[in-house]
Amino acid sequence: METVALSKDNYQLWDDFCASSDDAWFWHTTSWLDFCALYGRGKFSIENVSFFLADEEGILAVCPLLLESRSDARGEKYLEFSTAGGGRFGAAPALRCNLTSDRRGQTFKLVFEEIDRLAEKKGAARASFRHSPLAPRNWEY
C-alpha cells in the first residue's frame, strides 16, 4: 500500500474514485477543493495536502485535506485542517465500497495515521471532519 499526494496529474483518478464511492460526496471532489482554495484566497493561507491510499487494485481511500492559517479570538495564529471557513470541518475520508468492515477499520486507521503525520510535520493544531448522514456506509467503523 502507498500514500499518494493529490496533484493535478491524478485529479481524474481521484474524481473517478469519488464518483464510485458510497462515502464520497461533492465535498470530496477536486472541483470542491479547488473552489475552497480560491474562496479562501486573501482570507486564509491554504495548502492542499490531500492524499489517497492505493493498493494493487487502485485507490483504497481518499482524504481531502486543506491546511489553513487561522486566527483565534485573541488574534493569535494557528494552523488547522479545514475548508476555507466552510464550517471548519473537512470531509471525512471516503473509502472503496467493497471493503469488509475489518478492512474499513484498518484503512481508516492508516488514513488517520497519515493525517497525524501531516499535522505534526506541518504544525496543524486542529482537525475536524464531517460526513453526510446520508452516506449508506458511514456507520460501519
Side-chain angles (χ1 to χ4, degrees):
M1 183 169 328
E2 68 176 319
T3 302
V4 180
L6 177 63
S7 69
K8 296 281 185 187
D9 293 338
N10 52 35
Y11 265 30
Q12 189 62 52
L13 183 65
W14 177 287
D15 287 333
D16 289 347
F17 175 86
C18 289
S20 70
S21 172
D22 289 343
D23 293 337
W25 293 75
F26 181 70
W27 307 323
H28 293 84
T29 66
T30 59
S31 294
W32 178 251
L33 291 169
D34 286 347
F35 169 79
C36 288
L38 288 172
Y39 175 79
R41 189 178 295 162
K43 298 178 186 180
F44 315 105
S45 170
I46 297 177
E47 180 183 0
N48 188 342
V49 293
S50 301
F51 65 91
F52 61 89
L53 299 181
D55 63 12
E56 62 281 348
E57 296 177 37
I59 293 180
L60 193 59
V62 297
C63 184
L65 204 58
L66 299 175
L67 180 67
E68 299 182 8
S69 174
R70 317 274 290 163
S71 297
D72 65 17
R74 296 182 306 261
E76 293 183 31
K77 299 265 186 204
Y78 65 97
L79 294 172
E80 76 174 355
F81 294 124
S82 187
T83 54
R88 293 200 174 176
F89 295 98
L95 276 60
R96 187 187 302 154
C97 291
N98 65 353
L99 300 179
T100 64
S101 184
D102 284 347
R103 185 86 193 268
R104 286 178 67 81
Q106 293 167 354
T107 302
F108 270 114
K109 183 178 185 298
L110 292 171
V111 167
F112 282 99
E113 285 174 357
E114 179 64 11
I115 292 168
D116 288 345
R117 188 191 71 74
L118 287 168
E120 186 173 339
K121 177 182 176 184
K122 300 288 187 173
R126 170 186 138 99
S128 297
F129 300 93
R130 66 178 174 204
H131 54 94
S132 173
L134 302 176
R137 300 181 61 109
N138 68 7
W139 50 270
E140 291 185 22
Y141 300 120

